[in-house]
Amino acid sequence: GWARHDRRDRACYDPARAAADLRRHRLTGAMPTALDRGDFMPHFQPIYDLRSRRITGVEALARWRHGGQVLSPHDFIDLAEQSGQICRLGRSMLDQACRQAVIWREQGHRLTLSVNLSPHQLAEPDLPATVAGLLHDTGLPAAALQLEITESAAVEHHHQVINDLAGIGVQIAIDDFGTGYSNLAALSRLPVRCLKLDQQFIRQAPTAQAVTVLRHTRLLCQDLDIEVIAEGIESAGDERLLTDLGYTRGQGFRLARPAPAHTVTQLLARQAPGADP
Ligand code: C2E
Ligand code: MG
Ligand code: MG
Ligand code: MG
């Protein structure tokens, strides 16, 4: 009867899940105004030369100032992709990050700026023209910009746009390398300048399997003449393992956390001047 029906309905209703759905719905709805108002901004995480311990680059990572909090990509990148707003968000990140990189270069720091691209951005036919326009408007040299593309079907399906971007002179990096099913033959035919090895291998080290992947990825990159960056360096042990395996570039909380531009400006100012690579 009714009682049993009622009980079954209640069993299906999960308040935690409903609250999460509502939050996602509200965040998606708030996004257009937030984009208009400039509430999205990049934080920057330094990338280091592990030998000299100097900052050689920075990765722009999107943040959203929302309701007195600073939200991380985990809270909004999926929503932006599902609601078709990722291209606007991505363009805003590129624009803000390029402007900041120009400021650092004017202060004498020869940094490479890395910016993450969504597969949706790669699918936009005018992406190369948009990037070229941003470089022109901001004055950032193309060679100082690295675009990070995740290792996924996107790489397979967007050879033309990746070639066009490389044709402008920007560097292409494969992000989260080792998490997808890379077709190494396809990768080696693309104008890839850099592989960013996913954090999971350092997390799993020192298991023999993870160390094997770390060692062979480094050798693969050396043979293909591709730079390799180890992501997720959290401890002195992580750093030692990687340097022992011949890694020379790294990124992780042990070295520096993502931070607002002014914090990175202070880090850069503290570096001994000159001899920037
Ligand atoms: P990603 O591109 O792989 O960026 C690195 C992520 O790892 C960042 O998370 C960073 O804070 C985190 N991380 C860095 N070092 C460490 C470490 O030592 N330990 C741990 N546990 N984590 C570390 P974040 O900022 O939350 O970004 C997450 C992801 O969101 C990024 O992963 C990227 O895929 C995506 N994302 C961020 N900004 C953008 C953007 O502007 N556009 C697009 N399309 N995606 C973005
Ligand atoms: Mg990245
Ligand atoms: Mg990554
Ligand atoms: Mg990623």
Side-chain angles (χ1 to χ4, degrees):
W2 287 110
R4 196 166 25 178
H5 203 107
D6 204 42
R7 220 176 297 131
R8 195 175 55 207
D9 277 357
R10 227 177 294 142
C12 291
Y13 179 77
D14 176 348
R17 186 177 167 163
D21 285 349
L22 179 61
R23 177 176 148 80
R24 290 167 62 82
H25 182 75
R26 286 189 174 147
L27 286 175
T28 304
M31 229 175 256
T33 317
L35 279 163
D36 290 341
R37 285 207 309 233
D39 291 345
F40 290 92
M41 67 190 156
H43 277 190
F44 297 90
Q45 185 177 30
I47 296 168
Y48 281 82
D49 182 320
L50 297 174
R51 296 159 302 185
S52 65
R53 283 201 153 242
R54 294 180 68 83
I55 298 171
T56 61
V58 288
E59 177 174 5
L61 295 160
R63 298 293 183 264
W64 181 2
R65 279 181 296 242
H66 180 75
Q69 287 181 297
V70 177
L71 303 184
S72 286
H74 172 75
D75 291 315
F76 61 82
I77 290 286
D78 282 356
L79 301 181
E81 290 191 328
Q82 287 155 19
S83 63
Q85 300 178 84
I86 191 69
C87 291
R88 235 189 115 196
L89 174 55
R91 200 203 143 101
S92 166
M93 281 308 116
L94 255 177
D95 184 53
Q96 295 183 62
C98 287
R99 284 177 203 289
Q100 182 58 55
V102 167
I103 293 173
W104 284 322
R105 289 178 71 83
E106 283 169 352
Q107 293 169 356
H109 307 293
R110 305 257 310 271
L111 301 172
T112 300
L113 168 69
S114 298
V115 180
N116 293 282
L117 284 187
S118 157
H120 295 271
Q121 289 174 277
L122 284 177
E124 296 238 290
D126 60 354
L127 179 69
T130 301
V131 170
L134 279 175
L135 292 171
H136 179 265
D137 293 347
T138 60
L140 185 70
L145 178 63
Q146 183 165 80
L147 297 174
E148 297 190 3
I149 297 166
T150 48
E151 175 208 23
S152 67
V155 171
E156 311 274 310
H157 296 139
H158 299 295
H159 280 197
Q160 186 59 51
V161 70
I162 291 169
N163 279 314
D164 289 349
L165 287 167
I168 300 170
V170 305
Q171 305 177 31
I172 303 295
I174 303 298
D175 201 0
D176 305 335
F177 182 75
T179 58
Y181 298 89
S182 267
N183 178 341
L184 286 175
L187 271 190
S188 65
R189 277 195 298 272
L190 285 169
V192 171
R193 170 70 180 273
C194 175
L195 293 188
K196 299 191 75 175
L197 188 63
D198 192 71
Q199 309 189 4
Q200 65 168 303
F201 301 106
I202 302 183
R203 206 93 318 124
Q204 290 157 11
T207 64
Q209 262 173 321
V211 172
T212 298
V213 172
L214 289 168
R215 175 182 296 117
H216 286 276
T217 304
R218 219 273 297 156
L219 292 170
L220 174 78
C221 287
Q222 184 182 316
D223 284 356
L224 293 175
D225 200 19
I226 293 174
E227 188 181 309
V228 60
I229 297 177
E231 292 191 276
I233 300 176
E234 289 187 349
S235 68
D238 293 345
E239 195 179 343
R240 201 172 321 115
L241 173 66
L242 290 165
T243 49
D244 285 352
L245 290 171
Y247 282 79
T248 58
R249 288 274 191 287
Q251 182 178 357
F253 291 171
R254 166 167 169 82
L255 298 158
R257 286 179 178 262
H262 64 86
T263 304
V264 175
T265 301
Q266 288 167 1
L267 279 179
L268 289 167
R270 257 184 263 140
Q271 279 195 163
D276 260 334

